[in-house]
Amino acid sequence: EVQLVESGGGLIHPGGSLRLSCAASELVVSRTYMSWVRQAPGKGPEWLSVTYSGGDTFYADSVKGRFTVSRDNSKNTLHLQMTSLRAEDTAVYYCARVIGFGGVPNRYFEYWGQGTLVTVSS
Amino acid sequence: QSVLTQPPSVSAAPGQKVTISCSGSSSNIGNNYVSWYQQLPGTAPKLLIYDNDNRPSGIPDRFSGSKSGTSANLGITGLQTGDEADYYCATWDSSLNTWMFGGGTRLTVL
């Protein structure tokens, strides 16, 4: 059974940095599309990034330049480095496996982790 | 404000059916697959429908999806109290090269 387990969330002051992790089992993160998606309290999901198997990552405009995705293939883990955090970054952060077609990650989110809560507040 | 438009809420009695709509544009729904996700309170979204009208293994056939032009629908028949949840549509946007989610629809089974 595929499992995605996020960790690293917590309370952080505005302007601070935080690194989230997504550990996968029964799925090889370096061989598939992986995304980060967040959900602010009472809001719908917001897509943040997609990482291709080759390692390239594309970001939503809302986080471009502040968030960076990296991958540790030896640990089968995806990371999300978040900097210059703002109150509006407060959300539950999910990693998800994405299924694509024709070399594009465009079909659906097949598996989701349980999420990790990030709270940005002074 | 979401690019994909869903009604904020729908409700119906147990055993009845509901349809949840999702409206977009030619750059997203019109030219890409639509998927639907169910989010029970306090849990992560769960894939309900993929590629417009396909159900993953384990999803009952009470749930169905359809797409026409720049709109998609999720249908749920034989409503159960356990179906009370938030439902989200999602699709890729070919112009922006990003994923889009609908604002979500809260289903209440009265």
Side-chain angles (χ1 to χ4, degrees), chain A residues 37-100:
Chain A
V37 177
R38 69 183 178 186
Q39 188 169 25
K43 303 293 185 182
E46 177 191 11
W47 173 81
L48 300 180
S49 69
V50 62
T51 300
Y52 287 52
S53 58
D56 288 341
T57 300
F58 298 90
Y59 300 90
D61 286 345
S62 58
V63 301
K64 197 175 297 181
R66 297 191 301 126
F67 290 11
T68 303
V69 174
S70 62
R71 204 168 60 189
D72 184 338
N73 295 340
S74 68
K75 295 182 179 179
N76 202 27
T77 298
L78 197 70
H79 299 290
L80 179 67
Q81 178 69 46
M82 306 185 294
T83 63
S84 303
L85 285 163
R86 311 161 180 165
E88 52 265 36
D89 294 318
T90 294
V92 175
Y93 285 72
Y94 299 99
C95 63
R97 178 193 185 180
V98 186
I99 300 297

